[in-house]
Amino acid sequence: MENKKYIIANWKMNPASIKEGFGLLSGLSKGIKKNNAELVICPPGVFLNTLKNKFKKFNFGAQNIFWEDKGAYTGENSALMIKNLGVEYTIIGHSERREHFGESDEAVNLKIISCLKNKVRPILCVGEKEKNRETEIKEQLDKALRDVKKTQLKNILIAYEPVWAISGNSNGVSATVEDAFRGLLLIRKTLTRKFNRRTANSVSILYGGSVNSGNVSGFINEAEFGGVLVGGRSLDVKEFIKLVGNINK
Ligand code: PGA
């Protein structure tokens, strides 16, 4: 696993205007101190280029892509397009896309392959819908990583996001460090079986689901995640600055 820690800010379909987006990033620019974390802001696609050009100190990611490079696919954006904007990351297979847009494991796999081809780093989200249904995670990984080569795996970030712990579904109740660690071990084991131990250990696995400034350090320092994926709390400037500051505590 890389030494670098990742903090992915998933803004989801927020805020409603680019002006508010400027406000969020101006606040973060002033408050965030340099540390060893790679901070990746994932705003709505319609704001991505403008925010990226204005706030050069941040890394940016998309929240989704379609797997073809271009063509008659109304409403979609491709990995090639975001690559050509200079955007290095995209979230793939978030549980909200799986739930509201019927995104299947097969679609997730095609998107991963397209990202790898276009040299965009996918942040692949996996996670069980209900507690103790871990077979779901294995199946999601097996299908999402079909035809991914051993040498390509380190370019993928995997986010373990138990669906029941995401703030919109859970009233702010996060997974415990133990719950999260169990998920992390299961992911490493699945990757080891599919590839080999060395390759499995080269992958950064992040935790996501109601991460806040109070619990972030447990996930990173006790459960040894390679970073976090933050939804709701990434839209609260003060709280997010505190969260970023707490990752090494
Ligand atoms: P949350 O969202 O931090 O608001 O729980 C995480 C996610 O859905 O990626």
Side-chain angles (χ1 to χ4, degrees):
M1 182 171 87
E2 300 167 69
N3 273 335
K4 181 160 63 174
K5 302 294 180 202
Y6 290 87
I7 304 180
I8 317 293
N10 177 12
W11 285 6
K12 307 192 180 184
M13 202 171 72
N14 298 291
S17 70
I18 191 123
K19 200 166 155 218
E20 291 166 88
F22 285 155
L24 287 171
L25 290 186
S26 307
L28 296 185
S29 283
K30 287 187 205 117
I32 289 182
K33 310 250 166 1
K34 245 199 150 344
N35 63 14
N36 65 345
E38 172 104 339
L39 184 56
V40 182
I41 309 287
C42 302
V46 70
F47 302 152
L48 195 51
N49 195 37
T50 312
L51 293 180
K52 182 181 176 293
N53 288 336
K54 194 166 162 74
F55 294 92
K56 304 236 184 278
K57 77 186 246 192
F58 296 117
N59 302 291
F60 285 87
Q63 296 177 11
N64 177 44
I65 53 101
F66 184 61
W67 59 79
E68 295 290 348
D69 287 345
K70 56 183 187 165
Y73 304 100
T74 303
E76 296 297 318
N77 299 298
S78 68
L80 176 61
M81 288 171 180
I82 67 160
K83 180 68 188 177
N84 286 341
L85 288 182
V87 170
E88 282 176 65
Y89 297 88
T90 182
I91 298 172
I92 297 288
H94 190 281
S95 57
E96 286 153 15
R97 294 213 54 84
R98 294 176 191 258
E99 187 188 338
H100 302 304
F101 304 97
E103 204 165 290
S104 65
D105 289 320
E106 290 70 24
V108 169
N109 174 245
L110 291 170
K111 292 179 179 195
I112 294 280
I113 300 290
S114 172
C115 285
L116 294 171
K117 183 186 88 180
N118 286 298
K119 304 217 164 8
V120 171
R121 287 191 80 181
I123 304 158
L124 166 63
C125 299
V126 296
E128 75 283 10
K129 283 198 209 63
E130 286 167 35
K131 251 184 166 171
N132 305 322
R133 291 245 311 262
E134 278 95 358
T135 44
E136 250 176 291
I137 303 176
K138 283 194 210 152
E139 202 178 310
Q140 286 171 351
L141 277 174
D142 272 336
K143 291 188 175 161
L145 299 176
R146 219 181 113 202
D147 297 333
V148 170
K149 298 189 184 69
K150 242 193 286 184
T151 49
Q152 294 175 311
L153 195 68
K154 61 176 183 316
N155 299 321
I156 301 177
L157 297 167
I158 296 181
Y160 172 50
E161 296 210 302
V163 179
W164 51 269
I166 290 179
S167 63
N169 312 326
S170 71
N171 294 323
V173 179
S174 178
T176 62
V177 170
E178 291 74 29
D179 287 330
F181 188 57
R182 210 149 23 95
L184 180 136
L185 291 181
L186 183 71
I187 291 171
R188 284 248 190 266
K189 212 163 105 188
T190 308
L191 296 177
T192 303
R193 191 172 35 80
K194 205 169 163 51
F195 299 92
N196 59 42
R197 181 171 302 276
R198 194 146 165 254
T199 308
N201 288 341
S202 70
V203 180
S204 286
I205 302 175
L206 323 184
Y207 172 76
S210 302
V211 176
N212 59 44
S213 63
N215 63 18
V216 65
S217 158
F219 295 120
I220 290 185
N221 300 310
E222 290 171 46
E224 296 181 2
F225 278 92
V228 284
L229 201 163
V230 186
R233 299 303 174 106
S234 69
L235 294 163
D236 174 339
V237 171
K238 255 190 166 160
E239 165 68 1
F240 193 61
I241 291 170
K242 203 162 151 202
L243 188 159
V244 173
N246 282 353
I247 68 159
N248 293 321
K249 292 201 172 141

